[in-house]
Amino acid sequence: MQGTSYRPALSADIETAQGLARWSPGGPTTGPVVERLRSHISQDLRDAEKYVASLPSSRRRDIADQTVRYASQVLVRKQCPSPAARLLIHAKLADHVHRYAQAHRATLPRQAAERVH
């Protein structure tokens, strides 16, 4: 998954969430940042699931599968006992799900070329 590119808004939201978790987890900007991270996760989740499905059976696939399943569960639940944990969980999931989605998208041009030849 080397060379993963980030949408600028995603990168900014991850950094903001990490800063808020450290310095002001219960502040008024926490909610909007978490909602934007949830939106990023939702946008990338389907492609991340496709990436996981494409992996051979291995520990790597198990970890990716657990991460994607957990992201799906987090999207359903809105509550977390700690505002800092909520920020960090959403930031980390947005990061991983985006990486998996980008890995899947990177295979699309190759798959299309293979079908042509």
Side-chain angles (χ1 to χ4, degrees):
M1 288 186 296
Q2 299 235 331
T4 300
S5 65
Y6 281 88
R7 296 182 297 265
L10 172 60
S11 182
D13 286 338
I14 289 171
E15 289 179 26
T16 300
Q18 291 169 338
L20 285 172
R22 174 176 279 154
W23 303 111
S24 181
T29 56
T30 296
V33 171
V34 168
E35 287 308 311
R36 287 196 307 271
L37 289 167
R38 292 171 67 81
S39 176
H40 294 300
I41 293 167
S42 292
Q43 289 174 24
D44 289 329
L45 195 57
R46 179 157 290 154
D47 283 342
E49 289 168 341
K50 291 176 184 176
Y51 170 72
V52 170
S54 73
L55 293 173
S57 184
S58 64
R59 178 75 179 134
R60 180 176 162 198
R61 180 182 179 161
D62 292 343
I63 292 168
D65 183 55
Q66 290 173 357
T67 301
V68 170
R69 285 176 191 256
Y70 184 61
S72 296
Q73 293 170 2
V74 166
L75 289 178
V76 173
R77 288 184 272 137
K78 290 222 172 200
Q79 297 301 319
C80 184
S82 162
R86 185 174 184 220
L87 285 160
L88 293 174
I89 288 168
H90 281 80
K92 189 53 85 174
L93 287 173
D95 178 32
H96 284 289
V97 169
H98 182 72
R99 288 173 186 262
Y100 297 154
Q102 285 297 100
H104 169 71
R105 292 176 193 134
T107 66
L108 295 178
R110 191 172 357 144
Q111 290 173 358
E114 288 172 359
R115 277 185 251 135
V116 171
H117 295 341

